[in-house]
Amino acid sequence: ELKVEQNPLFLSMQEGKNYTIYCNYSTTSDRLYWYRQDPGKSLESLFVLLSNGAVKQEGRLMASLDTKARLSTLHITAAVHDLSATYFCAVDSNYQLIWGAGTKLIIKP
Amino acid sequence: EAGVVQSPRYKIIEKKQPVAFWCNPISGHNTLYWYLQNLGQGPELLIRYENEEAVDDSQLPKDRFSAERLKGVDSTLKIQPAELGDSAVYLCASSLDSGQYTGELFFGEGSRLTVL
């Protein structure tokens, strides 16, 4: 069975701190996506990772993909309140998009 | 460029009533998806279209749900009759054809259904 596991599922942190969200998956794939969802809103594409070793950065967020370890990370640097949201990873494999359960991130001022 | 457009944004109905949701994808995106999202969970695929053909409807509860994409552009998702458990957000998304890959999805704002 194809599985995508995110951890932690819930994260509360202080502004200015660094943290990492992990996305492990059980199938072979070299494509992975990260999405952001604000409360009551739809999903917004953050990063598209297309190959092993891919690294993408946007502001205080950086995503990476290690296809051999079947692991992607979303690193938050010097968190700010505006980054509070739920973050989903999704693995693209064999005509399917398999979603993680999401990580709800709360950043306190 | 316009994004994925969905309507209505909100719908409240009584159980056993019918309901329909409409989606207009991004121009040029031939692949269209309907997802269901319950509170606090990730999206769950209901159906995927490539042009007007439903290529994956294995998760669509066909006894009460139906969908169509007649001209390979707009799509409609219908529930008849609605049940209490159908209360959720129904998301439409579109993407460019990427062969064996799903590709990056672009989501609409969603249609929030409440069944009383």
Side-chain angles (χ1 to χ4, degrees), chain B residues 11-28:
Chain B
K11 189 74 177 179
I12 301 174
I13 61 172
E14 294 189 346
K15 63 181 180 180
K16 300 185 181 180
Q17 294 299 306
V19 63
F21 306 111
W22 174 82
C23 173
N24 181 248
I26 292 173
S27 177

Side-chain angles (χ1 to χ4, degrees), chain A residues 42-93:
Chain A
S42 193
L43 290 99
E44 173 191 359
S45 178
L46 286 176
F47 298 110
V48 177
L49 302 171
L50 299 179
S51 62
N52 185 41
V55 178
K56 295 279 186 73
Q57 184 163 5
E58 180 72 32
R60 300 174 186 274
L61 299 178
M62 183 174 71
S64 65
L65 178 61
D66 181 341
T67 60
K68 294 180 181 178
R70 299 182 181 176
L71 170 69
S72 179
T73 60
L74 181 65
H75 187 72
I76 304 148
T77 301
V80 293
H81 179 66
D82 287 351
L83 292 178
S84 296
T86 298
Y87 294 86
F88 291 93
C89 64
V91 176
D92 199 339
S93 175

Side-chain angles (χ1 to χ4, degrees), chain B residues 16-90:
Chain B
K16 300 185 181 180
Q17 294 299 306
V19 63
F21 306 111
W22 174 82
C23 173
N24 181 248
I26 292 173
S27 177
H29 283 195
N30 59 322
T31 306
L32 183 146
Y33 309 77
W34 283 103
Y35 280 90
L36 175 155
Q37 187 177 29
N38 288 303
L39 188 64
Q41 298 182 24
E44 301 171 30
L45 180 67
L46 290 172
I47 190 167
R48 174 168 68 99
Y49 282 94
E50 289 183 7
N51 299 306
E52 62 274 9
E53 181 183 0
V55 294
D56 185 356
D57 63 356
S58 58
Q59 302 302 311
L60 188 72
K62 299 181 184 64
D63 57 335
R64 297 184 301 107
F65 286 65
S66 64
E68 60 183 14
R69 192 184 185 200
L70 292 176
K71 296 183 179 179
V73 181
D74 294 3
S75 177
T76 303
L77 177 70
K78 297 178 181 178
I79 309 173
Q80 182 171 13
E83 297 179 352
L84 295 176
D86 296 332
S87 295
V89 176
Y90 292 84

Side-chain angles (χ1 to χ4, degrees), chain A residues 2-3 5 24 26 31 36 39 43 46 51 61 66 87 89 105:
Chain A
L2 306 175
K3 288 185 178 179
E5 294 184 351
N24 292 88
S26 64
R31 286 198 176 200
R36 169 181 173 149
L43 290 99
L46 286 176
S51 62
L61 299 178
D66 181 341
Y87 294 86
C89 64
L105 176 62

